[in-house]
Amino acid sequence: LDNETKDGKKVLLWGSSNDFPVICENSIIGNSVLEQSLSMRVDVLVGQGVVPVRVVGFNPDGSEAIELIDDAELIALLNKPWVARYLAEAARDLTKFGNAFVQFRPDLGGQKFLKLSVTNAMHVRLEYPDTDGISRNVLLNGLWPEGNTVNSYPLLSEHDAEEEIAMLADFSKPVFFQIKN
């Protein structure tokens, strides 16, 4: 795997020059057919809404066995306008770049996570993986691939994000979750 160092942190390159999202964005901008197609895809994804479910196991064919969650408070939360905005932003990045980076934002007291937001994937890279092949942090820089200052935030495991959140002792700074195609 190729890497570079920024602000003392080893960065996993996203593309040969760490500029894959910039190349994608430049290919999309000004191409009205592509822009419209991506916009329509995002509209379809967001229009499907969110149904709260819990994975309870796996079916013989390997698909997830799920059960609906009947929780009025959760359903009310999922119907809030900021959730639709979050879905649209995540769908935009997922459609454009194949990745979306969801930020779990804490309350001011650092007691619990209060809100989700999406950080534009153009500004995010992964820290170079540990020896086990897992990236533990996301690195933010508004000027990728230029700019040398990065902010590092924990990246939750895609396999058991809930357990990692439960084990966090400090909710004072955001943590991230990566959604991939």
Side-chain angles (χ1 to χ4, degrees):
L1 298 171
D2 291 333
N3 68 79
E4 67 182 10
T5 302
K6 296 267 188 185
D7 209 9
K9 301 199 176 11
K10 211 170 176 184
V11 180
L12 179 63
L13 297 184
W14 196 358
S16 61
S17 297
N18 203 15
D19 61 352
F20 175 76
V22 175
I23 292 169
C24 287
E25 186 75 12
N26 290 339
S27 297
I28 294 167
I29 292 173
N31 183 330
S32 59
V33 172
L34 189 52
E35 285 179 336
Q36 185 63 31
S37 297
L38 292 172
S39 179
M40 288 172 55
R41 181 179 167 103
V42 167
D43 290 346
V44 168
L45 290 170
V46 173
Q48 292 177 4
V50 179
V51 177
V53 297
R54 179 179 296 110
V55 177
V56 293
F58 294 93
N59 298 317
D61 67 356
S63 63
E64 294 175 336
I66 59 173
E67 70 179 11
L68 292 174
I69 298 173
D70 187 20
D71 179 333
E73 186 178 341
L74 178 60
I75 292 168
L77 172 70
L78 294 175
N79 287 317
K80 293 197 178 278
W82 67 264
V83 172
R85 187 173 51 253
Y86 150 76
L87 288 172
E89 290 171 355
R92 172 205 66 206
D93 282 0
L94 194 58
T95 302
K96 282 175 144 179
F97 311 120
N99 282 297
F101 294 93
V102 180
Q103 184 183 62
F104 291 72
R105 295 174 48 195
D107 64 4
L108 292 175
Q111 300 300 309
K112 64 181 181 177
F113 291 110
L114 190 60
K115 193 172 184 181
L116 299 176
S117 64
V118 176
T119 298
N120 190 320
M122 289 190 62
H123 307 302
V124 180
R125 299 297 185 272
L126 297 176
E127 191 169 44
Y128 197 79
D130 289 342
T131 55
D132 60 4
I134 297 173
S135 295
R136 304 272 185 238
N137 295 295
V138 296
L139 303 173
L140 270 58
N141 175 341
L143 303 171
W144 293 111
E146 287 81 33
N148 290 317
T149 303
V150 296
N151 292 310
S152 176
Y153 298 95
L155 176 64
L156 298 172
S157 165
E158 65 182 291
H159 301 292
D160 205 347
E162 262 187 298
E163 182 176 323
E164 284 189 9
I165 287 175
M167 291 180 359
L168 283 175
D170 179 16
F171 290 103
S172 64
K173 72 179 199 175
V175 298
F176 281 79
F177 185 77
Q178 179 184 17
I179 303 170
K180 302 183 260 185
N181 267 345

